């Protein structure tokens, strides 16, 4: 199955001009790539949603990369329930030099076996991923460069 822009400028049409999306027989998807070698292959740049917060918040499916300014007060960023969202990943970064940012779990869930992860240094960050039951830290930076 191939998709592309047609000469009349339609947003997406079955291949009728320049190919922009391909889904092959292996269900590999190519964006700007006519011969994808992975489940998703992108030929070009891509962006992930970025959200700047300065208040307590509970993350949801609309969040991906989050910066938190806690200069006004200590902030808590609560993760959604890990159940049912296996593989979902969040990046949370503290950008101020004053108050702590606490990344908290929903209910009895944990992050690497603990209920909260505290970010207390400016530019400290944590990347967590759901395993369908709890959260795992897959990347973090705990101190300044």
């Amino acid at each position: 199955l191939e998709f592309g822009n047609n000469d009349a400028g339609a947003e997406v049409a079955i291949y009728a001009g320049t190919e922009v999306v391909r889904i092959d027989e292996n269900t590999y998807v190519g964006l700007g790539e006519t011969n994808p070698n992975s489940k998703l292959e992108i030929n070009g740049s891509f962006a992930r949603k970025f959200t700047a917060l300065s208040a307590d918040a509970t993350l949801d499916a609309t969040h991906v990369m989050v910066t938190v300014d806690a200069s006004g007060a200590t902030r808590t960023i609560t993760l959604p329930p890990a159940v049912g969202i296996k593989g979902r990943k969040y990046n949370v970064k503290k950008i101020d030099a004053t108050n702590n940012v606490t990344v908290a779990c929903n209910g009895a869930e944990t992050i690497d076996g603990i209920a909260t992860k505290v970010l207390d240094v400016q530019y400290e960050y944590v990347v967590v991923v759901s395993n369908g039951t709890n959260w795992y830290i897959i990347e973090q930076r705990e101190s300044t460069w």
Side-chain angles (χ1 to χ4, degrees), residues 70-120:
S71 60
T74 299
R75 302 294 178 209
T76 299
I77 304 302
T78 305
L79 298 168
V83 176
I85 57 171
K86 183 178 181 178
R88 181 167 308 160
K89 183 168 94 170
Y90 292 104
N91 303 27
V92 180
K93 183 171 188 162
K94 171 186 162 49
I95 61 169
D96 67 284
T98 54
N99 299 298
N100 291 347
V101 172
T102 299
V103 180
C105 291
N106 183 285
E109 294 175 358
T110 61
I111 305 169
D112 282 358
I114 57 175
T116 62
K117 170 68 175 162
V118 176
L119 309 178
D120 58 3

Side-chain angles (χ1 to χ4, degrees), residues 122-142:
Q122 185 176 24
Y123 304 125
E124 182 176 4
Y125 69 85
V126 64
V127 180
V128 296
V129 67
S130 167
N131 73 347
T133 305
N134 289 292
W135 295 92
Y136 287 119
I137 296 172
I138 58 169
E139 185 180 340
Q140 64 184 337
R141 177 175 157 224
E142 295 182 329

Side-chain angles (χ1 to χ4, degrees), residues 7-27:
D7 294 333
E11 290 182 20
V12 177
I14 294 176
Y15 185 76
T18 304
E19 181 177 328
V20 295
V21 177
R22 176 183 291 243
I23 304 171
D24 72 11
E25 65 277 0
N26 299 312
T27 67

